[in-house]
Every structure is written in C-alpha cells, then in structure tokens.
Amino acid sequence: MKEMMPENGQFAMPALKYEELPGAISKETLTFHHGKHLKAYVDNMNKMIAGSGLEGKPLTEVVKKAEGGLFNNAGQVLNHAMYFAQFSTSPKEPSEAFKSRVAKDFGSFDAFKKEFETKGATLFGSGWVWLSADGEGKLVITQHKNAENSVTEGLTPLLTFDVWEHAYYLDYQNRRADYLAALWQYVDWAEVESRL
Ligand code: MN
C-alpha cells in the first residue's frame, strides 16, 4: 500500500477492490464498514486537520504526531486503509522467504495464525490485532485499543484484523473468533509482504 497523501488538504477515501468476501465478510457489512464507518473517519479527519499544524503531511506522520480527536480519526483511517487493502478475492500465497521468517519467529505458520487469532479474540473491547516488524526485522503480534496502531510504537505494521464489533456483528453477532478464522482465506500475502 502506498503512503496516503492529501490533495489540496483533503485525504481521499481508500478504494475497495471487492464487494464481498464470500463466507467471510458480507456485502452488507462492507457497505456499512467501508461506506459509512470509514467514510466518517475520513470526513472527520479532513475537517480536524485544518489548523492542526499537520496539513499536507502524509497520513503516517499525522498518526504519529496527532492527539485527541484527530489521532482517533487519522488512526482509524490508516488502520482501515491497511485492513481493506490486505484482502483480495484472488489472494497471493506467502513467499517461501516470508514463510521462513514467520516459522523462525513463531515456530510455524499455523502457530502464528493461532496466536494472531487468540490475540484478536482476547482483546477486550474495541481495537486491532497487528502483525508488525520491529527494528531488527523480528515479527511481533500486538493488541491495540480503539484507534491505536503499532506504528506509534516504532514498529512497521504488516497485517491487521479489525475487532471492533462493527467489523463483524452483522455477519457473526458475538462470534468474533469465527470471524477472525474466516479472514485468512482472503489475506493477500503479496500486499502484506510489500509493507516490509
Ligand atoms: Mn472498523
């Protein structure tokens, strides 16, 4: 995913490349999640950025430097842009090199997926589970509340599952673990690896 830059002081809505992810996320969920929730975050951020001193800056810099309401909205724009862009209806498998890195840091690819799902399922309240790379290139899984993101901790964010209820409640109600397990089939590892 390319760094998001504003044009004439306004960030554009991140595009969505699919209408549904059959068996994982319905068209109805995406209509609300992308079309309403993300749209509101983008609109709010664009209003709040005026006069903040962060006009014209790339989105990642806004997230790193903003506070309060601007941080909440900009963080949610970055998180959702990365979340929606990482899925595809024709996803690419992870490369052998990436699978080796995952196996080195988590024991195996299945062990990584299990830990990622567990950290997503056990995050209390609203937030995000992230796979990121640290300064030495080690892969780590972290939980973040609300609009937070591993980028503010100096990590390079690679993959995220949204565990706000708005991401799954229409399709899964309280079954957050089922939602998390269903997402893997659509993760486009070429996109994830491009973020390294
Ligand atoms: Mn969301």
Side-chain angles (χ1 to χ4, degrees), residues 33 80 128 162 166:
H33 196 188
H80 284 94
W128 301 82
D162 185 347
H166 68 219

Side-chain angles (χ1 to χ4, degrees), residues 64 132-136 149-157:
K64 285 180 176 172
S132 306
D134 73 10
E136 273 101 54
N149 178 312
S150 65
V151 78
T152 57
E153 296 176 8
L155 300 171
T156 302

Side-chain angles (χ1 to χ4, degrees), residues 3 13 33 47 75 106 110 155 162 171 194:
E3 174 65 80
M13 264 293 280
H33 196 188
K47 277 184 216 142
F106 298 100
D110 281 345
L155 300 171
D162 185 347
D171 297 328
S194 77

Side-chain angles (χ1 to χ4, degrees), residues 58-163:
L59 181 59
T60 305
E61 188 175 338
V62 175
V63 171
K64 285 180 176 172
K65 293 184 175 166
E67 293 178 352
L70 180 55
F71 171 79
N72 285 336
N73 286 284
Q76 286 293 73
V77 173
L78 180 60
N79 294 348
H80 284 94
M82 295 186 78
Y83 171 80
F84 288 122
Q86 79 200 354
F87 299 120
S88 169
T89 50
S90 50
K92 300 285 192 306
E93 293 289 318
S95 68
E96 290 305 318
F98 189 73
K99 281 197 278 192
S100 300
R101 285 179 73 158
V102 169
K104 180 168 149 288
D105 292 332
F106 298 100
S108 70
F109 213 83
D110 281 345
F112 150 69
K113 283 162 62 171
K114 188 156 181 286
E115 184 181 334
F116 197 83
E117 285 180 40
T118 300
K119 288 215 165 128
T122 58
L123 194 161
F124 191 79
S126 296
W128 301 82
V129 55
W130 282 95
L131 173 70
S132 306
D134 73 10
E136 273 101 54
K138 185 178 156 53
L139 300 174
V140 292
I141 301 172
T142 51
Q143 295 172 318
H144 299 268
K145 286 195 169 301
N146 301 323
E148 290 168 12
N149 178 312
S150 65
V151 78
T152 57
E153 296 176 8
L155 300 171
T156 302
L158 304 178
L159 171 77
T160 190
F161 286 179
D162 185 347
V163 298

Side-chain angles (χ1 to χ4, degrees), residues 8-72:
N8 303 317
Q10 302 285 287
F11 285 93
M13 264 293 280
L16 193 59
K17 298 174 292 183
Y18 42 84
E19 286 198 336
E20 65 177 321
L21 300 174
I25 304 179
S26 68
K27 191 173 174 180
E28 187 187 22
T29 290
L30 288 170
T31 301
F32 282 95
H33 196 188
H34 182 270
K36 306 280 187 197
H37 289 278
L38 176 55
K39 175 78 163 53
Y41 296 131
V42 171
D43 290 348
N44 288 335
M45 172 180 69
N46 280 332
K47 277 184 216 142
M48 294 171 115
I49 212 158
S52 69
L54 294 167
E55 301 92 338
K57 303 294 186 192
L59 181 59
T60 305
E61 188 175 338
V62 175
V63 171
K64 285 180 176 172
K65 293 184 175 166
E67 293 178 352
L70 180 55
F71 171 79
N72 285 336

Side-chain angles (χ1 to χ4, degrees), residues 165-186:
E165 284 187 346
H166 68 219
Y168 62 87
Y169 216 83
L170 291 173
D171 297 328
Y172 298 87
Q173 296 78 47
N174 61 322
R175 293 175 289 114
R176 188 195 282 184
D178 291 351
Y179 151 75
L180 294 170
L183 293 177
W184 294 116
Q185 61 188 307
Y186 292 110

